[in-house]
Amino acid sequence: MVAAFAFAAALTACSSGKDDKTGSGSPSGPPASLSGTVKIAYLQKQGDQQYFVDEADGARAKAKELGVDLKVVNLGNDTNKAVSEVQAATAQKYHGVVIVVPDPAVGPQVVDIATNGGAPLLASDDQICLTGPDPTKCAKDKLVPRVGFSGPQMGTQVGGRAADEFRKSGWNPADTAIIAAWKQDVTVCTDRVDAAREAFRQATGADVKVLRVGTDNTPPDAQNKTAATMSGNRSVKHWIVWGCNDENVTGAVTALQNGGYGAADVIGVGLGGYLACKDWGSGKPSGMKAALFINGYEVGGLAVQTMVDRLRNGKPFPAEAFATTKMVDPADWRQSGLKCT
């Protein structure tokens, strides 16, 4: 029972502004075991993005299987809506809240609201810090439990595949550059691109210039920012692209294509697969050489299961719970289970 309440006690210490080092803070949230129908709110940023659409579908399927009353809300990129929807969930007596925050800076505020409203909080995908706006500066024991993917593991897979493609290409490192595109205040994104760079360096030993491109994690912004980066680096003959998600990589690859670079001069390794597959489905040569398939459906189901285990059975949240990933390419994506809509 003490273990089951450990996370809630941490939340109570945070909301009171005191560090309860004795562990004696009174737990928030419902009792460790609930009977009857469990109500969960699943609040997502960018809910119209394909990955999050799949995540919501997976959450709904798991909720139906477990007899859970699930509400899914698309927050877009609106931090104010994130705050108001957590307030609404606690006011409507939802037993637990799962959230993908639009911006990690809003984390401590939603933690406070959930704690004061008595609802255990589980982060989905992106990290949230109990005590500050920047999860990169947060002690591990102050991070909200999270369901999603391992950023370093994903980045390592992406960087490794980029290295394989680079070796096959025979390109000269001196006239090759890497675009790493991501929203730079999202911790899990930084974990991915940093791990990709390290994996590429270790696998190739090549001194390839890395251009760090800050975006809002959408294709249009990645395309625009890459176009500006490309215009300042016209001596580059060949490009390697990775990023936080498929949106960044496909946006960057599109910009390079529009800038006159052919598919043979671009190695794009996506992260998601749900946009890369659209290029592959056309049958035309593409700069998208591969993508790491991350299954949002699996994450949504895992998040609901994790919350139900906490609410019904008193099982403590794990610090992190990870879904599986798989590298796919134009030759095998159709057999992978990847949905391309």
Side-chain angles (χ1 to χ4, degrees):
M1 186 69 72
V2 172
F5 285 149
F7 171 58
L11 291 183
T12 300
C14 173
S15 64
S16 68
K18 298 178 181 177
D19 185 5
D20 185 358
K21 296 178 180 176
T22 67
S24 60
S26 60
S28 66
S33 297
L34 289 174
S35 59
T37 301
V38 170
K39 296 173 62 177
I40 299 172
Y42 206 131
L43 315 178
Q44 299 175 299
K45 72 176 183 182
Q46 300 172 339
D48 55 352
Q49 187 186 104
Q50 187 60 50
Y51 169 83
F52 291 116
V53 171
D54 293 344
E55 184 176 76
D57 288 345
R60 291 187 182 101
K62 180 59 69 172
K64 183 177 180 181
E65 174 190 332
L66 299 176
V68 169
D69 180 357
L70 179 74
K71 177 175 74 171
V72 177
V73 178
N74 177 11
L75 304 174
N77 288 306
D78 190 341
T79 55
N80 291 327
K81 187 172 184 180
V83 170
S84 64
E85 288 294 342
V86 176
Q87 289 172 330
T90 58
Q92 294 164 17
K93 304 302 181 184
Y94 277 78
H95 299 118
V97 176
V98 182
I99 188 167
V100 192
V101 289
D103 188 319
V106 79
Q109 190 173 0
V110 300
V111 166
D112 264 355
I113 296 166
T115 302
N116 294 333
L121 184 71
L122 180 65
S124 176
D125 301 285
D126 297 345
Q127 288 179 319
I128 304 172
C129 183
L130 295 169
T131 55
D134 185 354
T136 65
K137 299 176 181 178
C138 193
K140 286 187 176 181
D141 64 349
K142 299 300 183 183
L143 289 170
V144 173
R146 180 177 74 91
V147 170
F149 298 98
S150 166
Q153 180 180 333
M154 288 192 296
T156 297
Q157 291 175 272
V158 167
R161 182 56 180 260
D164 291 344
E165 298 291 339
F166 175 71
R167 283 193 295 261
K168 288 191 295 183
S169 72
W171 295 347
N172 184 348
D175 54 25
T176 302
I178 297 168
I179 288 177
W182 80 106
K183 191 172 189 292
Q184 296 178 352
D185 62 351
V186 177
T187 316
V188 293
C189 289
T190 302
D191 289 344
R192 296 171 191 179
V193 298
D194 285 352
R197 180 178 60 182
E198 181 61 18
F200 182 87
R201 185 191 65 79
Q202 290 189 7
T204 65
D207 184 17
V208 179
K209 178 169 62 175
V210 179
L211 303 172
R212 298 159 66 91
V213 178
T215 75
D216 66 1
N217 277 353
T218 66
D221 198 47
Q223 184 174 337
N224 291 337
K225 298 293 177 54
T226 298
T229 300
M230 178 180 58
S231 67
N233 291 273
R234 282 296 179 181
S235 62
V236 176
K237 296 181 180 179
H238 312 290
W239 293 93
I240 300 167
V241 183
W242 59 62
C244 180
N245 54 17
D246 255 25
E247 283 75 8
N248 279 287
V249 181
T250 57
V253 168
T254 298
L256 295 170
Q257 176 183 309
N258 292 345
Y261 291 91
D265 292 315
V266 179
I267 294 172
V269 181
L271 208 161
Y274 44 84
L275 295 182
C277 64
K278 294 182 179 181
D279 279 2
W280 302 335
S282 71
K284 299 177 182 179
S286 170
M288 293 294 295
K289 298 301 191 289
L292 188 66
F293 173 31
I294 58 174
N295 193 341
Y297 189 95
E298 184 178 346
V299 171
L302 182 59
V304 170
Q305 182 69 66
T306 302
M307 181 62 78
V308 170
D309 286 345
R310 161 69 172 85
L311 295 171
R312 282 186 178 158
N313 306 318
K315 183 178 179 180
F317 287 140
E320 292 185 301
F322 297 136
T324 57
T325 60
K326 180 181 181 181
M327 190 64 68
V328 296
D329 58 33
D332 65 9
W333 71 270
R334 295 182 190 278
Q335 292 76 48
S336 70
L338 171 62
K339 293 190 296 182
C340 200
T341 57

